[in-house]
Amino acid sequence: MLTLHQCADGPSVLVRDDRIEAIGPAAELAGAHPGARVRDWPGARITGGAVEQAGGELLERRYHPDPREGIGTEPRELPAGLTPAGLGGSARRGLQALLARGVTALTGPFERPEVRTAVARSGLAVVAAPGAREPAVGGRADFVVLEAGSDRCLATVLAGRIVYRARG
């Protein structure tokens, strides 16, 4: 499937399946690919995602509470007696928080099977070292849509799929 992610502030991105097919002005890409599905991001810009350098620490050694627990949502020390299922749930909530911040890759290592499974299912790329993750033609379609004039993440796209979208 061909999708054009167009924005007024900076280059737009044309995605075919899980790869970036082209980067450029929205009008040029739309004219060259009239059948593409269009995702319009008014008042936004598209950029490369962030790399979370402390992925292993954040997901395996910190607890991400469920908002229904009534103890807040900020990461905290792992509670005593946390079950493997509890750690898996915590890791999934932590990954959702990363996606909401515009993270498209993270570093490990991930020693706990529950965390490895959650990371694998998230679609986030696991990288050996931090570095630039700018969108590139032919590369995997990982990028974020940021509100113009701020760093507020409106959407995170991994392998061409919107995996996070801000509400409101």
Side-chain angles (χ1 to χ4, degrees):
M1 170 167 279
L2 197 58
T3 304
L4 174 59
H5 292 267
Q6 68 180 20
C7 60
D9 188 8
S12 295
V13 177
L14 184 69
V15 175
R16 181 178 303 277
D17 301 323
D18 67 343
R19 297 283 175 214
I20 295 176
E21 184 151 311
I23 298 173
E28 282 183 26
L29 295 176
H33 304 278
R37 175 177 61 175
V38 175
R39 297 266 186 206
D40 192 24
W41 302 102
R45 61 188 166 87
I46 296 173
T47 187
V51 177
E52 175 54 61
Q53 298 178 37
E57 171 72 24
L58 188 63
L59 298 174
E60 292 194 330
R61 293 174 185 78
R62 304 295 292 165
Y63 179 68
H64 302 270
D66 185 318
R68 297 172 293 187
E69 292 178 84
I71 58 174
T73 57
E74 291 300 313
R76 54 185 57 222
E77 286 187 39
L78 286 174
L82 184 65
T83 65
L87 180 61
S90 169
R92 287 188 298 277
R93 290 185 296 275
L95 289 162
Q96 282 298 312
L98 292 174
L99 293 171
R101 287 190 3 231
V103 170
T104 58
L106 65 164
T107 61
F110 304 104
E111 299 167 3
R112 304 281 303 266
E114 304 83 11
V115 174
R116 280 196 307 269
T117 298
V119 169
R121 289 181 178 170
S122 74
L124 284 162
V126 177
V127 295
R133 301 275 308 163
E134 288 302 315
V137 173
R140 190 171 116 146
D142 292 350
F143 54 89
V144 295
V145 180
L146 300 176
E147 187 174 63
S150 79
D151 286 333
R152 179 176 174 254
C153 181
L154 301 176
T156 302
V157 177
L158 297 179
R161 294 180 25 247
I162 297 173
V163 295
Y164 167 78
R165 189 167 192 165
R167 298 176 195 213

Coordinates of all heavy atoms in Angstrom, one line a residue, residues 73-125:
T73 N 1.6 7.6 37.2 CA 2.1 6.9 36.0 C 3.6 7.0 35.8 O 4.1 6.5 34.8 CB 1.4 7.5 34.8 OG1 1.6 8.9 34.7 CG2 -0.1 7.2 34.8
E74 N 4.3 7.7 36.7 CA 5.7 7.8 36.5 C 6.4 6.5 36.9 O 6.1 5.8 37.8 CB 6.2 8.9 37.4 CG 5.8 10.3 37.0 CD 6.2 10.7 35.6 OE1 7.4 10.5 35.3 OE2 5.4 11.2 34.8
P75 N 7.5 6.2 36.1 CA 8.3 4.9 36.4 C 8.8 5.0 37.9 O 9.2 6.1 38.3 CB 9.4 4.9 35.4 CG 9.0 5.9 34.3 CD 8.0 6.9 35.0
R76 N 8.9 3.9 38.5 CA 9.3 3.8 39.9 C 10.1 2.5 40.1 O 10.2 1.7 39.2 CB 8.2 3.9 40.9 CG 7.1 2.9 40.6 CD 5.8 3.0 41.4 NE 5.3 4.3 41.3 CZ 4.8 5.0 42.3 NH1 4.7 4.5 43.5 NH2 4.3 6.2 42.1
E77 N 10.6 2.3 41.3 CA 11.3 1.0 41.6 C 10.4 -0.2 41.4 O 9.2 -0.1 41.6 CB 11.8 1.0 43.0 CG 13.0 1.9 43.2 CD 13.6 1.8 44.6 OE1 13.6 0.7 45.1 OE2 13.9 2.8 45.2
L78 N 11.0 -1.3 40.9 CA 10.2 -2.5 40.8 C 9.7 -2.9 42.2 O 10.5 -3.0 43.1 CB 11.1 -3.6 40.2 CG 11.4 -3.6 38.7 CD1 12.4 -4.7 38.4 CD2 10.2 -3.6 37.9
P79 N 8.4 -3.2 42.3 CA 7.9 -3.7 43.6 C 8.4 -5.1 43.9 O 8.6 -5.9 43.0 CB 6.4 -3.7 43.4 CG 6.2 -3.6 41.9 CD 7.4 -3.1 41.3
A80 N 8.6 -5.4 45.2 CA 9.0 -6.7 45.6 C 7.9 -7.7 45.2 O 6.7 -7.4 45.2 CB 9.1 -6.7 47.1
G81 N 8.3 -8.9 44.8 CA 7.4 -9.9 44.4 C 6.6 -9.7 43.1 O 5.6 -10.4 42.8
L82 N 7.1 -8.9 42.2 CA 6.5 -8.7 40.9 C 6.6 -9.9 40.1 O 7.7 -10.5 39.9 CB 7.2 -7.5 40.2 CG 6.6 -7.1 38.8 CD1 5.1 -6.5 39.1 CD2 7.4 -6.1 38.2
T83 N 5.5 -10.4 39.6 CA 5.5 -11.7 38.8 C 6.0 -11.4 37.4 O 6.0 -10.2 37.0 CB 4.0 -12.2 38.7 OG1 3.3 -11.3 38.0 CG2 3.4 -12.4 40.1
P84 N 6.4 -12.5 36.7 CA 6.8 -12.3 35.3 C 5.7 -11.6 34.5 O 5.9 -10.7 33.6 CB 7.1 -13.7 34.8 CG 7.5 -14.4 36.0 CD 6.6 -13.8 37.1
A85 N 4.4 -12.0 34.7 CA 3.3 -11.3 34.0 C 3.2 -9.9 34.3 O 2.9 -9.0 33.5 CB 2.0 -12.0 34.3
G86 N 3.5 -9.5 35.6 CA 3.4 -8.1 36.0 C 4.6 -7.3 35.4 O 4.4 -6.2 35.0
L87 N 5.7 -7.9 35.2 CA 6.9 -7.3 34.6 C 6.5 -7.1 33.1 O 6.8 -6.0 32.5 CB 8.2 -8.1 34.7 CG 9.4 -7.5 34.0 CD1 9.7 -6.1 34.6 CD2 10.6 -8.4 34.2
G88 N 5.9 -8.1 32.5 CA 5.5 -7.9 31.0 C 4.6 -6.8 30.8 O 4.7 -6.0 29.9
G89 N 3.6 -6.7 31.7 CA 2.6 -5.6 31.6 C 3.3 -4.2 31.8 O 3.0 -3.3 31.1
S90 N 4.2 -4.2 32.8 CA 4.9 -2.9 33.0 C 5.7 -2.5 31.8 O 5.8 -1.4 31.4 CB 5.9 -3.1 34.2 OG 6.8 -2.1 34.4
A91 N 6.4 -3.5 31.2 CA 7.2 -3.2 30.0 C 6.3 -2.7 28.9 O 6.7 -1.8 28.2 CB 8.0 -4.5 29.6
R92 N 5.2 -3.3 28.7 CA 4.3 -2.9 27.6 C 3.8 -1.4 27.9 O 3.8 -0.6 26.9 CB 3.1 -3.8 27.5 CG 3.4 -5.1 26.9 CD 2.2 -6.0 26.5 NE 1.4 -6.3 27.7 CZ 1.7 -7.3 28.5 NH1 2.7 -8.1 28.3 NH2 0.9 -7.6 29.6
R93 N 3.5 -1.1 29.1 CA 3.1 0.3 29.4 C 4.3 1.3 29.2 O 4.2 2.4 28.7 CB 2.6 0.4 30.8 CG 1.2 -0.3 31.0 CD 0.6 -0.1 32.4 NE 1.4 -0.7 33.5 CZ 1.3 -1.9 33.9 NH1 0.4 -2.8 33.3 NH2 2.0 -2.4 34.9
G94 N 5.5 0.8 29.6 CA 6.7 1.6 29.3 C 6.9 1.9 27.9 O 7.3 3.0 27.4
L95 N 6.7 0.8 27.0 CA 6.9 1.0 25.6 C 5.9 1.9 25.0 O 6.2 2.8 24.2 CB 6.8 -0.4 24.9 CG 8.0 -1.3 25.2 CD1 7.6 -2.8 24.9 CD2 9.2 -0.9 24.4
Q96 N 4.6 1.9 25.5 CA 3.6 2.8 25.0 C 4.1 4.3 25.4 O 3.9 5.2 24.6 CB 2.3 2.5 25.6 CG 1.6 1.4 25.0 CD 1.3 1.6 23.5 OE1 0.7 2.7 23.2 NE2 1.6 0.7 22.7
A97 N 4.6 4.5 26.5 CA 5.1 5.8 26.9 C 6.2 6.3 26.0 O 6.3 7.4 25.7 CB 5.5 5.8 28.4
L98 N 7.1 5.4 25.6 CA 8.2 5.7 24.7 C 7.6 6.1 23.3 O 8.1 7.1 22.7 CB 9.2 4.5 24.6 CG 10.0 4.2 25.8 CD1 10.8 2.9 25.6 CD2 10.9 5.4 26.2
L99 N 6.7 5.3 22.8 CA 6.1 5.7 21.5 C 5.4 7.0 21.6 O 5.5 7.8 20.6 CB 5.0 4.6 21.1 CG 5.6 3.2 20.8 CD1 4.5 2.2 20.7 CD2 6.5 3.3 19.6
A100 N 4.8 7.4 22.7 CA 4.1 8.7 22.9 C 5.2 9.8 22.9 O 4.8 11.0 22.6 CB 3.3 8.7 24.1
R101 N 6.4 9.5 23.2 CA 7.5 10.5 23.2 C 8.2 10.6 21.9 O 9.1 11.4 21.7 CB 8.5 10.2 24.3 CG 8.0 10.5 25.7 CD 9.1 10.4 26.7 NE 10.5 10.1 26.3 CZ 11.3 9.1 26.7 NH1 10.9 8.4 27.7 NH2 12.5 9.0 26.3
G102 N 7.8 9.8 20.9 CA 8.4 9.8 19.6 C 9.7 8.9 19.5 O 10.5 9.2 18.6
V103 N 9.8 7.9 20.3 CA 10.9 7.0 20.2 C 10.6 5.9 19.2 O 9.5 5.4 19.1 CB 11.1 6.3 21.6 CG1 12.1 5.2 21.5 CG2 11.6 7.4 22.6
T104 N 11.6 5.7 18.3 CA 11.4 4.7 17.2 C 12.5 3.6 17.3 O 12.4 2.6 16.6 CB 11.6 5.3 15.8 OG1 12.8 6.0 15.7 CG2 10.4 6.3 15.6
A105 N 13.4 3.7 18.3 CA 14.4 2.7 18.5 C 14.9 2.8 19.9 O 14.8 3.8 20.6 CB 15.6 2.9 17.5
L106 N 15.5 1.7 20.4 CA 16.0 1.7 21.7 C 17.2 0.7 21.8 O 17.4 -0.2 20.9 CB 15.0 1.4 22.8 CG 14.3 0.0 22.8 CD1 13.6 -0.2 24.2 CD2 13.3 -0.1 21.8
T107 N 18.0 0.9 22.8 CA 19.2 0.0 23.0 C 18.8 -1.0 24.1 O 18.0 -0.7 25.0 CB 20.4 0.8 23.4 OG1 20.2 1.5 24.6 CG2 20.8 1.8 22.3
G108 N 19.5 -2.1 24.1 CA 19.3 -3.1 25.2 C 20.5 -3.1 26.0 O 21.1 -2.1 26.3
P109 N 20.9 -4.3 26.5 CA 20.3 -5.6 26.3 C 19.0 -5.8 27.1 O 18.8 -5.1 28.1 CB 21.4 -6.6 26.7 CG 22.1 -5.8 27.8 CD 22.0 -4.4 27.5
F110 N 18.2 -6.8 26.7 CA 17.0 -7.2 27.4 C 17.2 -8.6 27.8 O 17.2 -9.5 27.0 CB 15.8 -7.0 26.5 CG 15.7 -5.6 25.9 CD1 16.0 -5.3 24.6 CD2 15.3 -4.6 26.8 CE1 16.0 -4.0 24.2 CE2 15.2 -3.3 26.3 CZ 15.5 -3.0 25.0
E111 N 17.4 -8.8 29.1 CA 17.7 -10.1 29.7 C 16.5 -10.9 30.0 O 16.5 -12.1 30.0 CB 18.6 -9.9 30.9 CG 19.9 -9.3 30.5 CD 20.7 -8.8 31.7 OE1 20.3 -9.0 32.9 OE2 21.8 -8.2 31.5
R112 N 15.4 -10.2 30.4 CA 14.2 -10.9 30.9 C 13.3 -11.3 29.7 O 13.0 -10.4 28.8 CB 13.4 -10.0 31.8 CG 14.2 -9.5 33.0 CD 14.3 -10.5 34.1 NE 13.0 -11.0 34.6 CZ 12.4 -10.6 35.7 NH1 12.9 -9.5 36.4 NH2 11.3 -11.1 36.1
P113 N 12.8 -12.5 29.6 CA 12.0 -13.0 28.4 C 10.8 -12.1 28.2 O 10.4 -11.9 27.1 CB 11.7 -14.4 28.7 CG 12.5 -14.8 29.8 CD 13.1 -13.6 30.5
E114 N 10.1 -11.7 29.3 CA 8.9 -11.0 29.2 C 9.1 -9.6 28.6 O 8.3 -9.1 27.8 CB 8.3 -10.7 30.6 CG 8.0 -11.9 31.5 CD 9.3 -12.5 32.2 OE1 10.3 -11.8 32.2 OE2 9.2 -13.6 32.7
V115 N 10.3 -9.0 28.9 CA 10.6 -7.7 28.3 C 11.0 -7.9 26.8 O 10.6 -7.1 26.0 CB 11.7 -7.0 29.1 CG1 12.2 -5.7 28.4 CG2 11.2 -6.7 30.5
R116 N 11.8 -8.9 26.5 CA 12.2 -9.2 25.1 C 11.0 -9.4 24.3 O 10.9 -8.9 23.1 CB 13.1 -10.4 25.0 CG 14.5 -10.2 25.4 CD 15.5 -11.3 24.9 NE 15.1 -12.6 25.4 CZ 15.5 -13.2 26.5 NH1 16.3 -12.5 27.3 NH2 15.0 -14.4 26.8
T117 N 10.0 -10.1 24.8 CA 8.8 -10.4 24.0 C 8.0 -9.1 23.8 O 7.6 -8.8 22.7 CB 7.8 -11.4 24.7 OG1 8.5 -12.6 24.8 CG2 6.5 -11.6 24.0
A118 N 7.9 -8.2 24.8 CA 7.2 -7.0 24.7 C 7.9 -6.1 23.7 O 7.2 -5.4 22.8 CB 7.1 -6.3 26.0
V119 N 9.2 -6.0 23.7 CA 10.0 -5.2 22.8 C 9.8 -5.7 21.4 O 9.5 -4.9 20.4 CB 11.5 -5.1 23.2 CG1 12.3 -4.5 22.1 CG2 11.6 -4.3 24.5
A120 N 9.9 -7.0 21.2 CA 9.7 -7.6 19.8 C 8.3 -7.3 19.3 O 8.2 -6.9 18.1 CB 10.0 -9.1 19.9
R121 N 7.3 -7.4 20.1 CA 6.0 -7.1 19.6 C 5.7 -5.6 19.4 O 4.8 -5.3 18.6 CB 4.9 -7.7 20.6 CG 4.9 -9.2 20.6 CD 3.9 -9.7 21.6 NE 3.9 -11.1 21.5 CZ 3.2 -11.9 22.4 NH1 2.5 -11.3 23.4 NH2 3.2 -13.2 22.2
S122 N 6.4 -4.7 20.0 CA 6.2 -3.3 19.9 C 6.5 -2.8 18.5 O 6.0 -1.8 18.0 CB 7.0 -2.5 20.9 OG 8.4 -2.5 20.5
G123 N 7.4 -3.4 17.8 CA 7.9 -2.9 16.5 C 9.0 -2.0 16.6 O 9.6 -1.6 15.5
L124 N 9.4 -1.6 17.8 CA 10.6 -0.7 17.9 C 11.9 -1.4 17.5 O 12.0 -2.6 17.7 CB 10.8 -0.2 19.4 CG 9.8 0.8 19.9 CD1 9.7 0.8 21.4 CD2 10.1 2.2 19.3
A125 N 12.7 -0.7 16.8 CA 14.0 -1.2 16.4 C 14.9 -1.3 17.6 O 14.9 -0.3 18.4 CB 14.6 -0.3 15.3

